[in-house]
Short mmCIF file of all heavy atoms in Angstrom, two decimals:
data_model
loop_
_atom_site.label_atom_id
_atom_site.label_comp_id
_atom_site.label_asym_id
_atom_site.label_seq_id
_atom_site.Cartn_x
_atom_site.Cartn_y
_atom_site.Cartn_z
N MET A 11 37.30 -21.12 12.49
CA MET A 11 36.44 -20.66 13.54
C MET A 11 35.32 -19.80 12.96
O MET A 11 35.54 -19.06 12.01
CB MET A 11 37.30 -19.82 14.49
CG MET A 11 37.02 -19.88 15.97
SD MET A 11 36.49 -21.38 16.75
CE MET A 11 37.96 -22.34 16.81
N VAL A 12 34.14 -19.91 13.53
CA VAL A 12 32.99 -19.12 13.10
C VAL A 12 32.56 -18.23 14.27
O VAL A 12 32.57 -18.67 15.42
CB VAL A 12 31.81 -20.05 12.70
CG1 VAL A 12 30.56 -19.26 12.42
CG2 VAL A 12 32.19 -20.90 11.51
N TYR A 13 32.22 -16.99 13.97
CA TYR A 13 31.77 -16.04 14.99
C TYR A 13 30.35 -15.61 14.70
O TYR A 13 30.05 -15.15 13.59
CB TYR A 13 32.68 -14.81 15.03
CG TYR A 13 34.10 -15.16 15.38
CD1 TYR A 13 35.07 -15.26 14.40
CD2 TYR A 13 34.46 -15.41 16.71
CE1 TYR A 13 36.38 -15.60 14.72
CE2 TYR A 13 35.77 -15.75 17.04
CZ TYR A 13 36.72 -15.84 16.04
OH TYR A 13 38.00 -16.18 16.37
N LYS A 14 29.47 -15.79 15.68
CA LYS A 14 28.09 -15.34 15.57
C LYS A 14 27.93 -14.11 16.46
O LYS A 14 28.30 -14.14 17.63
CB LYS A 14 27.12 -16.43 16.02
CG LYS A 14 25.66 -16.03 15.87
CD LYS A 14 24.73 -17.17 16.19
CE LYS A 14 23.29 -16.78 15.95
NZ LYS A 14 22.38 -17.91 16.20
N ILE A 15 27.41 -13.05 15.90
CA ILE A 15 27.25 -11.79 16.61
C ILE A 15 25.78 -11.61 16.92
O ILE A 15 24.93 -11.67 16.01
CB ILE A 15 27.81 -10.63 15.76
CG1 ILE A 15 29.31 -10.86 15.54
CG2 ILE A 15 27.53 -9.29 16.43
CD1 ILE A 15 29.96 -9.98 14.52
N ILE A 16 25.48 -11.40 18.21
CA ILE A 16 24.10 -11.27 18.66
C ILE A 16 23.94 -9.96 19.42
O ILE A 16 24.71 -9.69 20.35
CB ILE A 16 23.70 -12.45 19.58
CG1 ILE A 16 23.94 -13.78 18.88
CG2 ILE A 16 22.25 -12.31 20.04
CD1 ILE A 16 23.83 -14.98 19.79
N TYR A 17 22.93 -9.19 19.03
CA TYR A 17 22.63 -7.93 19.72
C TYR A 17 21.45 -8.15 20.67
O TYR A 17 20.55 -8.93 20.36
CB TYR A 17 22.29 -6.83 18.70
CG TYR A 17 23.42 -6.54 17.76
CD1 TYR A 17 23.49 -7.15 16.51
CD2 TYR A 17 24.44 -5.68 18.12
CE1 TYR A 17 24.54 -6.91 15.65
CE2 TYR A 17 25.50 -5.42 17.26
CZ TYR A 17 25.54 -6.05 16.03
OH TYR A 17 26.59 -5.80 15.19
N LYS A 18 21.44 -7.46 21.79
CA LYS A 18 20.36 -7.58 22.77
C LYS A 18 19.01 -7.24 22.14
O LYS A 18 17.98 -7.78 22.52
CB LYS A 18 20.63 -6.68 23.97
CG LYS A 18 19.60 -6.83 25.07
CD LYS A 18 19.93 -5.98 26.27
CE LYS A 18 18.88 -6.19 27.35
NZ LYS A 18 19.15 -5.36 28.51
N THR A 19 19.03 -6.36 21.16
CA THR A 19 17.79 -5.95 20.49
C THR A 19 17.19 -7.06 19.64
O THR A 19 16.09 -6.93 19.14
CB THR A 19 18.05 -4.72 19.59
OG1 THR A 19 19.11 -5.03 18.69
CG2 THR A 19 18.40 -3.51 20.42
N GLY A 20 17.91 -8.17 19.48
CA GLY A 20 17.37 -9.32 18.76
C GLY A 20 18.02 -9.61 17.43
O GLY A 20 17.84 -10.69 16.87
N GLY A 21 18.77 -8.68 16.89
CA GLY A 21 19.44 -8.92 15.62
C GLY A 21 20.67 -9.80 15.80
O GLY A 21 21.28 -9.83 16.87
N SER A 22 21.00 -10.55 14.77
CA SER A 22 22.21 -11.37 14.81
C SER A 22 22.67 -11.66 13.38
O SER A 22 21.90 -11.54 12.45
CB SER A 22 21.96 -12.68 15.56
OG SER A 22 21.07 -13.50 14.84
N PHE A 23 23.94 -12.01 13.27
CA PHE A 23 24.47 -12.44 11.98
C PHE A 23 25.74 -13.25 12.19
O PHE A 23 26.36 -13.19 13.24
CB PHE A 23 24.72 -11.25 11.03
CG PHE A 23 25.82 -10.31 11.46
CD1 PHE A 23 27.11 -10.45 10.96
CD2 PHE A 23 25.56 -9.27 12.35
CE1 PHE A 23 28.12 -9.57 11.33
CE2 PHE A 23 26.57 -8.38 12.73
CZ PHE A 23 27.84 -8.53 12.22
N ILE A 24 26.11 -14.00 11.18
CA ILE A 24 27.34 -14.77 11.19
C ILE A 24 28.42 -13.89 10.55
O ILE A 24 28.27 -13.43 9.43
CB ILE A 24 27.20 -16.10 10.42
CG1 ILE A 24 26.08 -16.95 11.00
CG2 ILE A 24 28.54 -16.85 10.41
CD1 ILE A 24 26.27 -17.35 12.45
N SER A 25 29.48 -13.67 11.29
CA SER A 25 30.57 -12.82 10.81
C SER A 25 31.42 -13.57 9.80
O SER A 25 31.61 -14.78 9.90
CB SER A 25 31.43 -12.40 12.01
OG SER A 25 32.58 -11.72 11.58
N ASP A 26 31.97 -12.82 8.84
CA ASP A 26 32.91 -13.41 7.89
C ASP A 26 34.35 -13.14 8.33
O ASP A 26 35.29 -13.36 7.59
CB ASP A 26 32.67 -12.90 6.47
CG ASP A 26 32.80 -11.39 6.36
OD1 ASP A 26 33.07 -10.71 7.37
OD2 ASP A 26 32.63 -10.88 5.24
N ALA A 27 34.52 -12.67 9.58
CA ALA A 27 35.83 -12.35 10.13
C ALA A 27 36.64 -13.62 10.36
O ALA A 27 36.10 -14.66 10.72
CB ALA A 27 35.68 -11.58 11.43
N GLY A 28 37.94 -13.49 10.21
CA GLY A 28 38.83 -14.61 10.44
C GLY A 28 39.39 -14.67 11.85
O GLY A 28 39.90 -15.70 12.28
N THR A 29 39.28 -13.55 12.59
CA THR A 29 39.79 -13.50 13.95
C THR A 29 38.77 -12.81 14.85
O THR A 29 37.87 -12.10 14.38
CB THR A 29 41.11 -12.70 14.04
OG1 THR A 29 40.83 -11.32 13.74
CG2 THR A 29 42.17 -13.26 13.11
N LEU A 30 38.93 -12.99 16.16
CA LEU A 30 38.05 -12.35 17.12
C LEU A 30 38.17 -10.83 17.04
O LEU A 30 37.18 -10.12 17.14
CB LEU A 30 38.34 -12.85 18.53
CG LEU A 30 37.47 -12.26 19.65
CD1 LEU A 30 35.99 -12.50 19.38
CD2 LEU A 30 37.87 -12.86 20.99
N VAL A 31 39.36 -10.33 16.84
CA VAL A 31 39.58 -8.89 16.72
C VAL A 31 38.76 -8.33 15.56
O VAL A 31 38.08 -7.31 15.69
CB VAL A 31 41.08 -8.56 16.55
CG1 VAL A 31 41.28 -7.09 16.22
CG2 VAL A 31 41.86 -8.94 17.79
N GLU A 32 38.78 -9.01 14.43
CA GLU A 32 38.00 -8.58 13.26
C GLU A 32 36.50 -8.68 13.53
O GLU A 32 35.72 -7.82 13.11
CB GLU A 32 38.37 -9.42 12.04
CG GLU A 32 39.77 -9.18 11.54
CD GLU A 32 40.19 -10.19 10.46
OE1 GLU A 32 39.43 -11.14 10.18
OE2 GLU A 32 41.28 -10.02 9.91
N ALA A 33 36.07 -9.73 14.24
CA ALA A 33 34.66 -9.91 14.58
C ALA A 33 34.18 -8.79 15.50
O ALA A 33 33.06 -8.28 15.33
CB ALA A 33 34.44 -11.27 15.23
N LYS A 34 35.01 -8.37 16.46
CA LYS A 34 34.65 -7.27 17.35
C LYS A 34 34.46 -5.98 16.55
O LYS A 34 33.52 -5.23 16.76
CB LYS A 34 35.73 -7.05 18.40
CG LYS A 34 35.81 -8.10 19.46
CD LYS A 34 36.98 -7.78 20.38
CE LYS A 34 37.20 -8.81 21.43
NZ LYS A 34 38.37 -8.50 22.28
N LYS A 35 35.38 -5.73 15.63
CA LYS A 35 35.30 -4.53 14.80
C LYS A 35 34.02 -4.55 13.96
O LYS A 35 33.30 -3.57 13.88
CB LYS A 35 36.53 -4.43 13.90
CG LYS A 35 36.57 -3.20 13.05
CD LYS A 35 37.83 -3.12 12.22
CE LYS A 35 37.78 -1.89 11.32
NZ LYS A 35 38.91 -1.82 10.42
N GLN A 36 33.75 -5.68 13.35
CA GLN A 36 32.56 -5.82 12.52
C GLN A 36 31.29 -5.65 13.35
O GLN A 36 30.35 -4.97 12.93
CB GLN A 36 32.59 -7.20 11.85
CG GLN A 36 31.64 -7.35 10.70
CD GLN A 36 31.82 -8.69 10.02
OE1 GLN A 36 31.90 -9.73 10.68
NE2 GLN A 36 31.90 -8.68 8.71
N ALA A 37 31.25 -6.23 14.54
CA ALA A 37 30.09 -6.12 15.42
C ALA A 37 29.84 -4.67 15.81
O ALA A 37 28.70 -4.21 15.82
CB ALA A 37 30.29 -6.98 16.66
N SER A 38 30.90 -3.95 16.13
CA SER A 38 30.78 -2.55 16.52
C SER A 38 30.30 -1.69 15.35
O SER A 38 29.48 -0.79 15.53
CB SER A 38 32.12 -2.02 17.04
OG SER A 38 32.49 -2.68 18.23
N GLU A 39 30.81 -1.97 14.16
CA GLU A 39 30.42 -1.20 12.98
C GLU A 39 28.95 -1.37 12.63
O GLU A 39 28.31 -0.45 12.14
CB GLU A 39 31.27 -1.61 11.78
CG GLU A 39 32.70 -1.16 11.86
CD GLU A 39 33.58 -1.71 10.74
OE1 GLU A 39 33.13 -2.60 9.98
OE2 GLU A 39 34.73 -1.25 10.63
N HIS A 40 28.38 -2.56 12.89
CA HIS A 40 26.99 -2.84 12.54
C HIS A 40 26.00 -2.53 13.67
O HIS A 40 24.80 -2.67 13.48
CB HIS A 40 26.85 -4.30 12.12
CG HIS A 40 27.45 -4.58 10.79
ND1 HIS A 40 28.78 -4.91 10.63
CD2 HIS A 40 26.92 -4.56 9.54
CE1 HIS A 40 29.03 -5.09 9.35
NE2 HIS A 40 27.93 -4.88 8.66
N ALA A 41 26.50 -2.14 14.82
CA ALA A 41 25.62 -1.84 15.96
C ALA A 41 24.95 -0.49 15.75
O ALA A 41 25.60 0.50 15.49
CB ALA A 41 26.42 -1.83 17.26
N GLY A 42 23.65 -0.47 15.85
CA GLY A 42 22.93 0.78 15.75
C GLY A 42 22.72 1.39 17.13
O GLY A 42 23.00 0.76 18.16
N TYR A 43 22.22 2.60 17.16
CA TYR A 43 21.95 3.27 18.43
C TYR A 43 20.93 2.45 19.21
O TYR A 43 19.95 1.96 18.66
CB TYR A 43 21.41 4.68 18.17
CG TYR A 43 21.10 5.41 19.44
CD1 TYR A 43 22.11 5.96 20.21
CD2 TYR A 43 19.79 5.52 19.88
CE1 TYR A 43 21.83 6.62 21.39
CE2 TYR A 43 19.50 6.18 21.06
CZ TYR A 43 20.52 6.74 21.81
OH TYR A 43 20.24 7.38 22.98
N GLY A 44 21.18 2.27 20.49
CA GLY A 44 20.27 1.54 21.36
C GLY A 44 20.40 0.03 21.28
O GLY A 44 19.48 -0.71 21.57
N PHE A 45 21.59 -0.46 20.87
CA PHE A 45 21.78 -1.90 20.72
C PHE A 45 21.80 -2.65 22.05
O PHE A 45 21.64 -3.85 22.10
CB PHE A 45 23.04 -2.22 19.90
CG PHE A 45 24.35 -1.85 20.55
CD1 PHE A 45 24.97 -2.71 21.45
CD2 PHE A 45 24.96 -0.64 20.26
CE1 PHE A 45 26.18 -2.37 22.03
CE2 PHE A 45 26.17 -0.30 20.83
CZ PHE A 45 26.78 -1.15 21.74
N GLY A 46 22.02 -1.93 23.15
CA GLY A 46 22.01 -2.55 24.48
C GLY A 46 23.30 -3.28 24.79
O GLY A 46 24.08 -2.85 25.62
N SER A 47 23.53 -4.40 24.13
CA SER A 47 24.77 -5.14 24.31
C SER A 47 25.01 -6.01 23.08
O SER A 47 24.10 -6.28 22.31
CB SER A 47 24.71 -6.02 25.57
OG SER A 47 23.70 -7.00 25.45
N ILE A 48 26.27 -6.42 22.96
CA ILE A 48 26.67 -7.31 21.86
C ILE A 48 27.34 -8.52 22.49
O ILE A 48 28.17 -8.39 23.38
CB ILE A 48 27.71 -6.65 20.93
CG1 ILE A 48 27.23 -5.31 20.41
CG2 ILE A 48 28.06 -7.58 19.78
CD1 ILE A 48 28.32 -4.50 19.69
N CYS A 49 26.98 -9.69 22.01
CA CYS A 49 27.64 -10.92 22.45
C CYS A 49 28.20 -11.60 21.21
O CYS A 49 27.49 -11.78 20.22
CB CYS A 49 26.63 -11.83 23.15
SG CYS A 49 27.34 -13.37 23.75
N ILE A 50 29.45 -11.98 21.27
CA ILE A 50 30.07 -12.72 20.17
C ILE A 50 30.26 -14.16 20.64
O ILE A 50 30.89 -14.41 21.67
CB ILE A 50 31.41 -12.11 19.74
CG1 ILE A 50 31.20 -10.67 19.25
CG2 ILE A 50 32.04 -12.97 18.63
CD1 ILE A 50 32.48 -9.97 18.84
N MET A 51 29.67 -15.07 19.89
CA MET A 51 29.77 -16.50 20.19
C MET A 51 30.75 -17.12 19.21
O MET A 51 30.83 -16.70 18.05
CB MET A 51 28.41 -17.17 20.03
CG MET A 51 27.27 -16.45 20.75
SD MET A 51 27.39 -16.56 22.51
CE MET A 51 26.48 -18.03 22.80
N GLU A 52 31.48 -18.13 19.66
CA GLU A 52 32.50 -18.78 18.83
C GLU A 52 32.21 -20.27 18.74
O GLU A 52 31.77 -20.88 19.70
CB GLU A 52 33.86 -18.55 19.46
CG GLU A 52 35.01 -19.17 18.72
CD GLU A 52 36.32 -18.94 19.46
OE1 GLU A 52 36.53 -19.57 20.51
OE2 GLU A 52 37.10 -18.11 18.99
N GLY A 53 32.46 -20.84 17.57
CA GLY A 53 32.30 -22.27 17.40
C GLY A 53 33.04 -22.76 16.18
O GLY A 53 33.56 -21.98 15.38
N GLU A 54 33.08 -24.06 16.02
CA GLU A 54 33.74 -24.67 14.86
C GLU A 54 32.91 -24.48 13.59
O GLU A 54 33.44 -24.42 12.50
CB GLU A 54 33.98 -26.16 15.10
CG GLU A 54 35.00 -26.44 16.18
CD GLU A 54 36.39 -25.91 15.82
OE1 GLU A 54 36.79 -26.00 14.65
OE2 GLU A 54 37.07 -25.41 16.73
N ASP A 55 31.58 -24.42 13.76
CA ASP A 55 30.68 -24.17 12.64
C ASP A 55 29.46 -23.41 13.16
O ASP A 55 29.36 -23.14 14.35
CB ASP A 55 30.28 -25.47 11.93
CG ASP A 55 29.67 -26.49 12.88
OD1 ASP A 55 28.89 -26.11 13.78
OD2 ASP A 55 29.97 -27.68 12.72
N ILE A 56 28.53 -23.10 12.29
CA ILE A 56 27.37 -22.30 12.67
C ILE A 56 26.57 -22.96 13.78
O ILE A 56 26.11 -22.31 14.72
CB ILE A 56 26.47 -22.03 11.44
CG1 ILE A 56 27.22 -21.15 10.44
CG2 ILE A 56 25.16 -21.38 11.85
CD1 ILE A 56 26.54 -21.00 9.11
N ASP A 57 26.40 -24.27 13.73
CA ASP A 57 25.60 -24.99 14.73
C ASP A 57 26.27 -25.11 16.08
O ASP A 57 25.61 -25.37 17.08
CB ASP A 57 25.24 -26.38 14.20
CG ASP A 57 24.36 -26.32 12.97
OD1 ASP A 57 23.54 -25.38 12.88
OD2 ASP A 57 24.50 -27.19 12.09
N SER A 58 27.57 -24.91 16.15
CA SER A 58 28.27 -25.09 17.42
C SER A 58 28.64 -23.77 18.09
O SER A 58 29.39 -23.75 19.06
CB SER A 58 29.53 -25.94 17.22
OG SER A 58 30.49 -25.22 16.47
N CYS A 59 28.10 -22.67 17.61
CA CYS A 59 28.40 -21.36 18.20
C CYS A 59 27.63 -21.20 19.51
O CYS A 59 26.51 -20.67 19.53
CB CYS A 59 28.03 -20.23 17.24
SG CYS A 59 29.16 -20.03 15.87
N CYS A 60 28.21 -21.66 20.59
CA CYS A 60 27.51 -21.57 21.87
C CYS A 60 28.40 -21.01 22.97
O CYS A 60 27.95 -20.79 24.08
CB CYS A 60 26.97 -22.93 22.28
SG CYS A 60 28.25 -24.15 22.54
N GLU A 61 29.64 -20.78 22.68
CA GLU A 61 30.61 -20.30 23.67
C GLU A 61 30.80 -18.79 23.53
O GLU A 61 31.37 -18.32 22.56
CB GLU A 61 31.95 -21.01 23.43
CG GLU A 61 33.01 -20.69 24.43
CD GLU A 61 32.79 -21.39 25.75
OE1 GLU A 61 32.13 -22.43 25.77
OE2 GLU A 61 33.28 -20.88 26.77
N PRO A 62 30.30 -18.00 24.52
CA PRO A 62 30.52 -16.55 24.42
C PRO A 62 31.99 -16.22 24.65
O PRO A 62 32.60 -16.65 25.62
CB PRO A 62 29.64 -15.97 25.53
CG PRO A 62 29.39 -17.09 26.47
CD PRO A 62 29.54 -18.36 25.70
N VAL A 63 32.56 -15.48 23.72
CA VAL A 63 33.98 -15.13 23.83
C VAL A 63 34.21 -13.64 24.03
O VAL A 63 35.30 -13.23 24.40
CB VAL A 63 34.78 -15.63 22.61
CG1 VAL A 63 34.84 -17.15 22.59
CG2 VAL A 63 34.22 -15.10 21.31
N ALA A 64 33.18 -12.83 23.78
CA ALA A 64 33.32 -11.39 23.97
C ALA A 64 31.94 -10.76 24.15
O ALA A 64 30.99 -11.14 23.46
CB ALA A 64 34.04 -10.74 22.80
N ILE A 65 31.87 -9.80 25.07
CA ILE A 65 30.63 -9.09 25.35
C ILE A 65 30.96 -7.60 25.45
O ILE A 65 31.98 -7.23 26.03
CB ILE A 65 29.99 -9.56 26.66
CG1 ILE A 65 29.68 -11.05 26.59
CG2 ILE A 65 28.73 -8.76 26.99
CD1 ILE A 65 29.34 -11.68 27.93
N LYS A 66 30.08 -6.79 24.89
CA LYS A 66 30.26 -5.34 25.00
C LYS A 66 28.91 -4.71 25.29
O LYS A 66 27.92 -5.03 24.64
CB LYS A 66 30.83 -4.75 23.71
CG LYS A 66 31.11 -3.26 23.82
CD LYS A 66 31.78 -2.74 22.56
CE LYS A 66 32.13 -1.28 22.72
NZ LYS A 66 32.77 -0.74 21.52
N PHE A 67 28.88 -3.84 26.30
CA PHE A 67 27.66 -3.14 26.64
C PHE A 67 27.66 -1.78 25.97
O PHE A 67 28.72 -1.16 25.78
CB PHE A 67 27.54 -3.00 28.16
CG PHE A 67 27.39 -4.33 28.84
CD1 PHE A 67 28.49 -4.96 29.39
CD2 PHE A 67 26.17 -4.97 28.89
CE1 PHE A 67 28.37 -6.20 29.99
CE2 PHE A 67 26.04 -6.22 29.48
CZ PHE A 67 27.14 -6.83 30.03
N GLU A 68 26.47 -1.30 25.62
CA GLU A 68 26.36 -0.05 24.87
C GLU A 68 27.07 1.12 25.53
O GLU A 68 27.70 1.93 24.87
CB GLU A 68 24.88 0.30 24.67
CG GLU A 68 24.67 1.53 23.84
CD GLU A 68 23.22 1.76 23.48
OE1 GLU A 68 22.34 1.10 24.04
OE2 GLU A 68 22.98 2.58 22.60
N HIS A 69 26.99 1.21 26.85
CA HIS A 69 27.59 2.34 27.54
C HIS A 69 29.02 2.05 28.00
O HIS A 69 29.64 2.87 28.66
CB HIS A 69 26.71 2.77 28.71
CG HIS A 69 25.34 3.18 28.26
ND1 HIS A 69 25.12 4.31 27.50
CD2 HIS A 69 24.14 2.59 28.40
CE1 HIS A 69 23.83 4.42 27.23
NE2 HIS A 69 23.22 3.38 27.75
N GLY A 70 29.55 0.89 27.63
CA GLY A 70 30.92 0.54 27.97
C GLY A 70 31.86 0.87 26.83
O GLY A 70 31.46 1.02 25.68
N ILE A 71 33.12 0.99 27.16
CA ILE A 71 34.12 1.33 26.16
C ILE A 71 34.83 0.07 25.65
O ILE A 71 35.14 -0.05 24.48
CB ILE A 71 35.16 2.32 26.74
CG1 ILE A 71 34.48 3.61 27.13
CG2 ILE A 71 36.28 2.58 25.75
CD1 ILE A 71 35.37 4.55 27.91
N GLU A 72 35.06 -0.86 26.56
CA GLU A 72 35.88 -2.02 26.22
C GLU A 72 35.06 -3.31 26.14
O GLU A 72 34.00 -3.43 26.73
CB GLU A 72 36.97 -2.17 27.27
CG GLU A 72 37.84 -0.93 27.35
CD GLU A 72 39.17 -1.20 28.01
OE1 GLU A 72 39.53 -2.37 28.16
OE2 GLU A 72 39.83 -0.23 28.33
N TRP A 73 35.62 -4.25 25.42
CA TRP A 73 35.05 -5.59 25.34
C TRP A 73 35.43 -6.38 26.59
O TRP A 73 36.54 -6.28 27.07
CB TRP A 73 35.58 -6.32 24.10
CG TRP A 73 34.98 -5.81 22.83
CD1 TRP A 73 35.47 -4.81 22.05
CD2 TRP A 73 33.81 -6.29 22.19
NE1 TRP A 73 34.66 -4.64 20.96
CE2 TRP A 73 33.62 -5.53 21.02
CE3 TRP A 73 32.87 -7.28 22.50
CZ2 TRP A 73 32.55 -5.74 20.16
CZ3 TRP A 73 31.81 -7.49 21.64
CH2 TRP A 73 31.66 -6.72 20.49
N ILE A 74 34.50 -7.19 27.06
CA ILE A 74 34.75 -8.11 28.18
C ILE A 74 34.92 -9.51 27.56
O ILE A 74 34.09 -9.93 26.77
CB ILE A 74 33.57 -8.12 29.16
CG1 ILE A 74 33.35 -6.72 29.73
CG2 ILE A 74 33.77 -9.15 30.26
CD1 ILE A 74 32.03 -6.55 30.44
N GLU A 75 35.99 -10.17 27.92
CA GLU A 75 36.24 -11.51 27.42
C GLU A 75 36.19 -12.51 28.58
O GLU A 75 37.14 -12.56 29.37
CB GLU A 75 37.58 -11.59 26.69
CG GLU A 75 37.60 -10.75 25.43
CD GLU A 75 38.89 -10.89 24.63
OE1 GLU A 75 39.67 -11.82 24.88
OE2 GLU A 75 39.09 -10.05 23.73
N PRO A 76 35.08 -13.26 28.70
CA PRO A 76 34.96 -14.24 29.78
C PRO A 76 36.09 -15.28 29.71
O PRO A 76 36.53 -15.64 28.61
CB PRO A 76 33.61 -14.90 29.55
CG PRO A 76 32.89 -14.01 28.61
CD PRO A 76 33.93 -13.27 27.83
N GLU A 77 36.51 -15.75 30.86
CA GLU A 77 37.54 -16.80 30.86
C GLU A 77 36.95 -18.07 30.31
O GLU A 77 35.80 -18.41 30.55
CB GLU A 77 38.05 -17.02 32.29
CG GLU A 77 38.90 -15.87 32.77
CD GLU A 77 39.61 -16.21 34.06
OE1 GLU A 77 39.99 -17.38 34.25
OE2 GLU A 77 39.74 -15.30 34.87
N ARG A 78 37.76 -18.79 29.57
CA ARG A 78 37.30 -20.05 28.96
C ARG A 78 37.75 -21.22 29.77
O ARG A 78 38.73 -21.32 30.32
CB ARG A 78 37.82 -20.18 27.55
CG ARG A 78 37.34 -19.08 26.67
CD ARG A 78 37.83 -19.30 25.27
NE ARG A 78 37.83 -18.06 24.54
CZ ARG A 78 38.17 -17.98 23.30
NH1 ARG A 78 38.55 -19.03 22.64
NH2 ARG A 78 38.14 -16.85 22.66
#
């Protein structure tokens, strides 16, 4: 599985995490002040990362995981 991390501010990167839990941790660690929100997309490869699996808003404490 591949996780793409996208910030509302426009930054994004492909996570080297092996699990969603690790991807969430990595996304939080790389978020700077004023990131707005974070969306983690999941796919089989980089080109297929289109399914949002976790969202976190800057002023929220917890991750939201949309139903699949």
Side-chain angles (χ1 to χ4, degrees):
M11 216 35 75
V12 173
Y13 298 100
K14 183 175 184 177
I15 298 168
I16 304 169
Y17 299 95
K18 184 177 181 181
T19 55
S22 68
F23 67 95
I24 302 299
S25 173
D26 59 359
T29 66
L30 180 57
V31 171
E32 292 171 354
K34 288 177 183 178
K35 182 178 177 185
Q36 195 175 47
S38 295
E39 289 173 351
H40 288 87
Y43 179 77
F45 67 85
S47 63
I48 306 169
C49 180
I50 300 178
M51 311 291 270
E52 179 183 72
E54 292 297 321
D55 55 40
I56 294 171
D57 296 326
S58 69
C59 286
C60 63
E61 184 76 25
V63 292
I65 301 167
K66 184 176 184 181
F67 295 97
E68 183 171 12
H69 300 292
I71 298 171
E72 301 199 15
W73 286 91
I74 300 166
E75 294 184 15
E77 289 191 35
R78 299 183 202 182

